[in-house]
Amino acid sequence: MGPLVRRFRVLMMGAIALGISLMLAQGMSLDRPHSAAVAQGNPSPPLLAASLPMVTGNFEDPQGRFQIGIFDGYSVSSAGGSPVFQAADGSLAYTVAVTPAPPAESPEAALVVAAEDTFGAGEGYVASDVQPIPGGGVRINWSGRLSQGAAPPQAISGKIFARQRDAEVFLLLVAATDSAEAQLSDAIIALGGTLIVP
């Protein structure tokens, strides 16, 4: 397992332990409603972002181009020839797309163009911040609107890791609704550590 996955697991275990501590502390104050903390009017502890599930499976591209981890409990489907992995409640999803590298002024510009060509026509995709990532490639922050059936569109946001290998660009995209937005950074780092391109 990569060091990022190990680091992510350690962080998640710490977050779970902190969450349990906070729940136990809240339970104790419920037993003593007139405790000093309540009497002093201290603010309640901040809510923690829900933790991500562990990576428990592995998806292998049928064409042998890549492998990526699957979060526990996520469904796997396909859209436009790419796999789509989605949480049961639809709050977080991710995909890996592979596309030919477009001509551009620089390698970074080619990665941004590849992401826009691949995802720009869907869900009101608008790219914002673009940053280089260690080992080559870029991270692209983006936003959009998700339309599902007759329901009104809802805001979504996401991140993309884009990297070129030979003549192809590999795009790992993670998208989240407002309820899972706090998980985006952890999700793309964890998944980026499981993405293997032979």
Side-chain angles (χ1 to χ4, degrees):
M1 265 184 231
L4 286 176
V5 172
R6 284 194 293 272
R7 186 178 308 142
F8 175 74
R9 285 187 174 164
V10 169
L11 288 173
M12 284 299 99
M13 290 177 68
I16 290 168
L18 179 61
I20 291 170
S21 298
L22 288 173
M23 286 188 289
L24 288 174
Q26 288 174 350
M28 285 183 215
S29 67
L30 289 176
D31 292 339
R32 294 178 285 151
H34 299 292
S35 68
V38 173
Q40 293 175 6
N42 291 339
S44 59
L47 294 176
L48 299 174
S51 61
L52 288 169
M54 299 300 288
V55 173
T56 58
N58 193 43
F59 175 85
E60 294 188 23
D61 176 57
Q63 297 174 31
R65 300 171 296 177
F66 64 87
Q67 296 176 17
I68 191 160
I70 303 172
F71 284 139
D72 186 38
Y74 276 48
S75 63
V76 182
S77 59
S78 180
S82 297
V84 177
F85 309 89
Q86 186 171 353
D89 65 359
S91 62
L92 193 132
Y94 61 99
T95 187
V96 177
V98 182
T99 185
E105 297 175 4
S106 69
E108 291 81 14
L111 297 174
V112 173
V113 169
E116 289 174 349
D117 288 350
T118 303
F119 302 114
E123 306 300 351
Y125 170 90
V126 177
S128 57
D129 184 42
V130 177
Q131 295 290 326
I133 55 176
V138 296
R139 185 207 68 216
I140 304 167
N141 292 334
W142 63 274
S143 61
R145 298 197 68 74
L146 176 64
S147 301
Q148 291 182 320
Q154 60 179 315
I156 55 172
S157 56
K159 296 181 183 293
I160 298 171
F161 277 177
R163 233 181 219 145
Q164 185 170 345
R165 170 69 70 89
D166 299 326
E168 293 181 312
V169 174
F170 291 79
L171 302 163
L172 167 60
L173 175 142
V174 180
T177 61
D178 287 344
S179 64
E181 186 175 3
Q183 296 178 324
L184 277 173
S185 293
D186 289 342
I188 199 157
I189 289 170
L191 293 167
T194 70
L195 180 59
I196 298 169
V197 177

PDB file of all heavy atoms in Angstrom, residues 10-35:
ATOM      1  N   VAL A  10      -4.323   6.337   8.991  1.00  0.00           N
ATOM      2  CA  VAL A  10      -3.975   6.833  10.329  1.00  0.00           C
ATOM      3  C   VAL A  10      -4.806   8.060  10.658  1.00  0.00           C
ATOM      4  O   VAL A  10      -5.344   8.190  11.758  1.00  0.00           O
ATOM      5  CB  VAL A  10      -2.465   7.147  10.401  1.00  0.00           C
ATOM      6  CG1 VAL A  10      -2.128   7.919  11.668  1.00  0.00           C
ATOM      7  CG2 VAL A  10      -1.663   5.853  10.331  1.00  0.00           C
ATOM      8  N   LEU A  11      -4.953   8.979   9.686  1.00  0.00           N
ATOM      9  CA  LEU A  11      -5.768  10.168   9.919  1.00  0.00           C
ATOM     10  C   LEU A  11      -7.222   9.804  10.171  1.00  0.00           C
ATOM     11  O   LEU A  11      -7.880  10.390  11.039  1.00  0.00           O
ATOM     12  CB  LEU A  11      -5.675  11.125   8.726  1.00  0.00           C
ATOM     13  CG  LEU A  11      -4.343  11.849   8.569  1.00  0.00           C
ATOM     14  CD1 LEU A  11      -4.313  12.621   7.257  1.00  0.00           C
ATOM     15  CD2 LEU A  11      -4.084  12.772   9.733  1.00  0.00           C
ATOM     16  N   MET A  12      -7.744   8.847   9.434  1.00  0.00           N
ATOM     17  CA  MET A  12      -9.133   8.445   9.620  1.00  0.00           C
ATOM     18  C   MET A  12      -9.334   7.805  10.987  1.00  0.00           C
ATOM     19  O   MET A  12     -10.335   8.052  11.653  1.00  0.00           O
ATOM     20  CB  MET A  12      -9.583   7.471   8.521  1.00  0.00           C
ATOM     21  CG  MET A  12      -9.852   8.144   7.197  1.00  0.00           C
ATOM     22  SD  MET A  12     -11.161   9.374   7.289  1.00  0.00           S
ATOM     23  CE  MET A  12     -10.228  10.857   7.418  1.00  0.00           C
ATOM     24  N   MET A  13      -8.362   6.993  11.434  1.00  0.00           N
ATOM     25  CA  MET A  13      -8.485   6.378  12.750  1.00  0.00           C
ATOM     26  C   MET A  13      -8.476   7.464  13.826  1.00  0.00           C
ATOM     27  O   MET A  13      -9.238   7.400  14.790  1.00  0.00           O
ATOM     28  CB  MET A  13      -7.358   5.369  12.968  1.00  0.00           C
ATOM     29  CG  MET A  13      -7.510   4.130  12.092  1.00  0.00           C
ATOM     30  SD  MET A  13      -6.159   2.976  12.280  1.00  0.00           S
ATOM     31  CE  MET A  13      -6.425   2.413  13.932  1.00  0.00           C
ATOM     32  N   GLY A  14      -7.621   8.489  13.649  1.00  0.00           N
ATOM     33  CA  GLY A  14      -7.596   9.599  14.598  1.00  0.00           C
ATOM     34  C   GLY A  14      -8.912  10.353  14.600  1.00  0.00           C
ATOM     35  O   GLY A  14      -9.430  10.736  15.650  1.00  0.00           O
ATOM     36  N   ALA A  15      -9.479  10.570  13.402  1.00  0.00           N
ATOM     37  CA  ALA A  15     -10.751  11.287  13.308  1.00  0.00           C
ATOM     38  C   ALA A  15     -11.880  10.485  13.956  1.00  0.00           C
ATOM     39  O   ALA A  15     -12.734  11.040  14.645  1.00  0.00           O
ATOM     40  CB  ALA A  15     -11.091  11.579  11.845  1.00  0.00           C
ATOM     41  N   ILE A  16     -11.862   9.164  13.771  1.00  0.00           N
ATOM     42  CA  ILE A  16     -12.885   8.314  14.379  1.00  0.00           C
ATOM     43  C   ILE A  16     -12.753   8.366  15.900  1.00  0.00           C
ATOM     44  O   ILE A  16     -13.740   8.501  16.619  1.00  0.00           O
ATOM     45  CB  ILE A  16     -12.781   6.866  13.841  1.00  0.00           C
ATOM     46  CG1 ILE A  16     -13.214   6.829  12.365  1.00  0.00           C
ATOM     47  CG2 ILE A  16     -13.615   5.909  14.686  1.00  0.00           C
ATOM     48  CD1 ILE A  16     -12.890   5.536  11.665  1.00  0.00           C
ATOM     49  N   ALA A  17     -11.506   8.277  16.397  1.00  0.00           N
ATOM     50  CA  ALA A  17     -11.290   8.335  17.847  1.00  0.00           C
ATOM     51  C   ALA A  17     -11.750   9.672  18.409  1.00  0.00           C
ATOM     52  O   ALA A  17     -12.397   9.736  19.459  1.00  0.00           O
ATOM     53  CB  ALA A  17      -9.818   8.097  18.176  1.00  0.00           C
ATOM     54  N   LEU A  18     -11.448  10.761  17.685  1.00  0.00           N
ATOM     55  CA  LEU A  18     -11.889  12.077  18.126  1.00  0.00           C
ATOM     56  C   LEU A  18     -13.409  12.158  18.125  1.00  0.00           C
ATOM     57  O   LEU A  18     -14.013  12.685  19.063  1.00  0.00           O
ATOM     58  CB  LEU A  18     -11.299  13.168  17.232  1.00  0.00           C
ATOM     59  CG  LEU A  18     -11.693  14.601  17.565  1.00  0.00           C
ATOM     60  CD1 LEU A  18     -11.245  14.968  18.972  1.00  0.00           C
ATOM     61  CD2 LEU A  18     -11.093  15.556  16.553  1.00  0.00           C
ATOM     62  N   GLY A  19     -14.042  11.615  17.096  1.00  0.00           N
ATOM     63  CA  GLY A  19     -15.508  11.620  17.031  1.00  0.00           C
ATOM     64  C   GLY A  19     -16.128  10.867  18.188  1.00  0.00           C
ATOM     65  O   GLY A  19     -17.091  11.312  18.807  1.00  0.00           O
ATOM     66  N   ILE A  20     -15.558   9.700  18.521  1.00  0.00           N
ATOM     67  CA  ILE A  20     -16.081   8.911  19.640  1.00  0.00           C
ATOM     68  C   ILE A  20     -15.899   9.683  20.940  1.00  0.00           C
ATOM     69  O   ILE A  20     -16.793   9.723  21.783  1.00  0.00           O
ATOM     70  CB  ILE A  20     -15.392   7.530  19.701  1.00  0.00           C
ATOM     71  CG1 ILE A  20     -15.837   6.687  18.495  1.00  0.00           C
ATOM     72  CG2 ILE A  20     -15.689   6.809  21.009  1.00  0.00           C
ATOM     73  CD1 ILE A  20     -15.071   5.415  18.300  1.00  0.00           C
ATOM     74  N   SER A  21     -14.730  10.332  21.101  1.00  0.00           N
ATOM     75  CA  SER A  21     -14.491  11.130  22.312  1.00  0.00           C
ATOM     76  C   SER A  21     -15.511  12.240  22.442  1.00  0.00           C
ATOM     77  O   SER A  21     -16.034  12.497  23.528  1.00  0.00           O
ATOM     78  CB  SER A  21     -13.084  11.727  22.287  1.00  0.00           C
ATOM     79  OG  SER A  21     -12.125  10.716  22.279  1.00  0.00           O
ATOM     80  N   LEU A  22     -15.797  12.920  21.330  1.00  0.00           N
ATOM     81  CA  LEU A  22     -16.777  13.999  21.367  1.00  0.00           C
ATOM     82  C   LEU A  22     -18.169  13.476  21.706  1.00  0.00           C
ATOM     83  O   LEU A  22     -18.901  14.101  22.471  1.00  0.00           O
ATOM     84  CB  LEU A  22     -16.806  14.748  20.036  1.00  0.00           C
ATOM     85  CG  LEU A  22     -15.603  15.644  19.751  1.00  0.00           C
ATOM     86  CD1 LEU A  22     -15.675  16.190  18.340  1.00  0.00           C
ATOM     87  CD2 LEU A  22     -15.512  16.772  20.756  1.00  0.00           C
ATOM     88  N   MET A  23     -18.531  12.323  21.158  1.00  0.00           N
ATOM     89  CA  MET A  23     -19.854  11.758  21.462  1.00  0.00           C
ATOM     90  C   MET A  23     -19.950  11.370  22.928  1.00  0.00           C
ATOM     91  O   MET A  23     -20.961  11.609  23.579  1.00  0.00           O
ATOM     92  CB  MET A  23     -20.140  10.545  20.568  1.00  0.00           C
ATOM     93  CG  MET A  23     -20.462  10.927  19.131  1.00  0.00           C
ATOM     94  SD  MET A  23     -21.029   9.525  18.150  1.00  0.00           S
ATOM     95  CE  MET A  23     -19.539   8.601  17.967  1.00  0.00           C
ATOM     96  N   LEU A  24     -18.874  10.772  23.465  1.00  0.00           N
ATOM     97  CA  LEU A  24     -18.888  10.402  24.877  1.00  0.00           C
ATOM     98  C   LEU A  24     -18.974  11.647  25.760  1.00  0.00           C
ATOM     99  O   LEU A  24     -19.700  11.673  26.741  1.00  0.00           O
ATOM    100  CB  LEU A  24     -17.646   9.594  25.224  1.00  0.00           C
ATOM    101  CG  LEU A  24     -17.609   8.166  24.661  1.00  0.00           C
ATOM    102  CD1 LEU A  24     -16.279   7.510  24.949  1.00  0.00           C
ATOM    103  CD2 LEU A  24     -18.747   7.335  25.212  1.00  0.00           C
ATOM    104  N   ALA A  25     -18.241  12.699  25.377  1.00  0.00           N
ATOM    105  CA  ALA A  25     -18.278  13.934  26.159  1.00  0.00           C
ATOM    106  C   ALA A  25     -19.672  14.547  26.126  1.00  0.00           C
ATOM    107  O   ALA A  25     -20.178  15.036  27.136  1.00  0.00           O
ATOM    108  CB  ALA A  25     -17.245  14.923  25.630  1.00  0.00           C
ATOM    109  N   GLN A  26     -20.335  14.517  24.961  1.00  0.00           N
ATOM    110  CA  GLN A  26     -21.686  15.051  24.872  1.00  0.00           C
ATOM    111  C   GLN A  26     -22.644  14.201  25.693  1.00  0.00           C
ATOM    112  O   GLN A  26     -23.546  14.718  26.345  1.00  0.00           O
ATOM    113  CB  GLN A  26     -22.147  15.102  23.415  1.00  0.00           C
ATOM    114  CG  GLN A  26     -21.450  16.193  22.630  1.00  0.00           C
ATOM    115  CD  GLN A  26     -21.798  16.138  21.157  1.00  0.00           C
ATOM    116  OE1 GLN A  26     -22.413  15.185  20.687  1.00  0.00           O
ATOM    117  NE2 GLN A  26     -21.421  17.170  20.430  1.00  0.00           N
ATOM    118  N   GLY A  27     -22.431  12.890  25.724  1.00  0.00           N
ATOM    119  CA  GLY A  27     -23.278  12.009  26.508  1.00  0.00           C
ATOM    120  C   GLY A  27     -23.141  12.296  27.993  1.00  0.00           C
ATOM    121  O   GLY A  27     -24.112  12.297  28.735  1.00  0.00           O
ATOM    122  N   MET A  28     -21.920  12.602  28.445  1.00  0.00           N
ATOM    123  CA  MET A  28     -21.723  12.921  29.860  1.00  0.00           C
ATOM    124  C   MET A  28     -22.420  14.218  30.235  1.00  0.00           C
ATOM    125  O   MET A  28     -23.001  14.335  31.291  1.00  0.00           O
ATOM    126  CB  MET A  28     -20.223  13.030  30.158  1.00  0.00           C
ATOM    127  CG  MET A  28     -19.522  11.701  30.223  1.00  0.00           C
ATOM    128  SD  MET A  28     -17.824  11.988  30.644  1.00  0.00           S
ATOM    129  CE  MET A  28     -17.041  10.719  29.731  1.00  0.00           C
ATOM    130  N   SER A  29     -22.381  15.217  29.353  1.00  0.00           N
ATOM    131  CA  SER A  29     -23.024  16.484  29.688  1.00  0.00           C
ATOM    132  C   SER A  29     -24.542  16.340  29.673  1.00  0.00           C
ATOM    133  O   SER A  29     -25.238  17.072  30.345  1.00  0.00           O
ATOM    134  CB  SER A  29     -22.583  17.583  28.719  1.00  0.00           C
ATOM    135  OG  SER A  29     -23.062  17.323  27.430  1.00  0.00           O
ATOM    136  N   LEU A  30     -25.060  15.359  28.941  1.00  0.00           N
ATOM    137  CA  LEU A  30     -26.499  15.125  28.968  1.00  0.00           C
ATOM    138  C   LEU A  30     -26.918  14.532  30.305  1.00  0.00           C
ATOM    139  O   LEU A  30     -28.011  14.795  30.788  1.00  0.00           O
ATOM    140  CB  LEU A  30     -26.906  14.177  27.829  1.00  0.00           C
ATOM    141  CG  LEU A  30     -26.830  14.769  26.421  1.00  0.00           C
ATOM    142  CD1 LEU A  30     -27.163  13.694  25.397  1.00  0.00           C
ATOM    143  CD2 LEU A  30     -27.750  15.947  26.263  1.00  0.00           C
ATOM    144  N   ASP A  31     -26.022  13.742  30.903  1.00  0.00           N
ATOM    145  CA  ASP A  31     -26.332  13.170  32.210  1.00  0.00           C
ATOM    146  C   ASP A  31     -26.336  14.244  33.297  1.00  0.00           C
ATOM    147  O   ASP A  31     -27.012  14.124  34.293  1.00  0.00           O
ATOM    148  CB  ASP A  31     -25.319  12.082  32.577  1.00  0.00           C
ATOM    149  CG  ASP A  31     -25.455  10.868  31.677  1.00  0.00           C
ATOM    150  OD1 ASP A  31     -26.538  10.695  31.072  1.00  0.00           O
ATOM    151  OD2 ASP A  31     -24.495  10.109  31.578  1.00  0.00           O
ATOM    152  N   ARG A  32     -25.530  15.295  33.093  1.00  0.00           N
ATOM    153  CA  ARG A  32     -25.439  16.372  34.068  1.00  0.00           C
ATOM    154  C   ARG A  32     -25.770  17.686  33.365  1.00  0.00           C
ATOM    155  O   ARG A  32     -24.891  18.423  32.958  1.00  0.00           O
ATOM    156  CB  ARG A  32     -24.019  16.429  34.643  1.00  0.00           C
ATOM    157  CG  ARG A  32     -23.687  15.201  35.460  1.00  0.00           C
ATOM    158  CD  ARG A  32     -22.278  15.265  35.978  1.00  0.00           C
ATOM    159  NE  ARG A  32     -21.357  14.991  34.881  1.00  0.00           N
ATOM    160  CZ  ARG A  32     -20.126  15.486  34.804  1.00  0.00           C
ATOM    161  NH1 ARG A  32     -19.653  16.271  35.728  1.00  0.00           N
ATOM    162  NH2 ARG A  32     -19.361  15.182  33.801  1.00  0.00           N
ATOM    163  N   PRO A  33     -27.039  18.002  33.171  1.00  0.00           N
ATOM    164  CA  PRO A  33     -27.415  19.164  32.388  1.00  0.00           C
ATOM    165  C   PRO A  33     -26.956  20.480  32.994  1.00  0.00           C
ATOM    166  O   PRO A  33     -26.870  21.461  32.294  1.00  0.00           O
ATOM    167  CB  PRO A  33     -28.941  19.086  32.322  1.00  0.00           C
ATOM    168  CG  PRO A  33     -29.345  18.210  33.455  1.00  0.00           C
ATOM    169  CD  PRO A  33     -28.212  17.278  33.688  1.00  0.00           C
ATOM    170  N   HIS A  34     -26.619  20.511  34.277  1.00  0.00           N
ATOM    171  CA  HIS A  34     -26.197  21.762  34.895  1.00  0.00           C
ATOM    172  C   HIS A  34     -24.690  21.783  35.092  1.00  0.00           C
ATOM    173  O   HIS A  34     -24.187  22.330  36.064  1.00  0.00           O
ATOM    174  CB  HIS A  34     -26.915  21.963  36.241  1.00  0.00           C
ATOM    175  CG  HIS A  34     -28.406  22.031  36.072  1.00  0.00           C
ATOM    176  ND1 HIS A  34     -29.008  23.079  35.436  1.00  0.00           N
ATOM    177  CD2 HIS A  34     -29.388  21.163  36.423  1.00  0.00           C
ATOM    178  CE1 HIS A  34     -30.331  22.867  35.410  1.00  0.00           C
ATOM    179  NE2 HIS A  34     -30.567  21.713  35.989  1.00  0.00           N
ATOM    180  N   SER A  35     -23.951  21.178  34.183  1.00  0.00           N
ATOM    181  CA  SER A  35     -22.503  21.117  34.322  1.00  0.00           C
ATOM    182  C   SER A  35     -21.896  22.502  34.135  1.00  0.00           C
ATOM    183  O   SER A  35     -22.526  23.421  33.626  1.00  0.00           O
ATOM    184  CB  SER A  35     -21.912  20.143  33.287  1.00  0.00           C
ATOM    185  OG  SER A  35     -22.076  20.665  32.000  1.00  0.00           O
TER     186      SER A  35
END
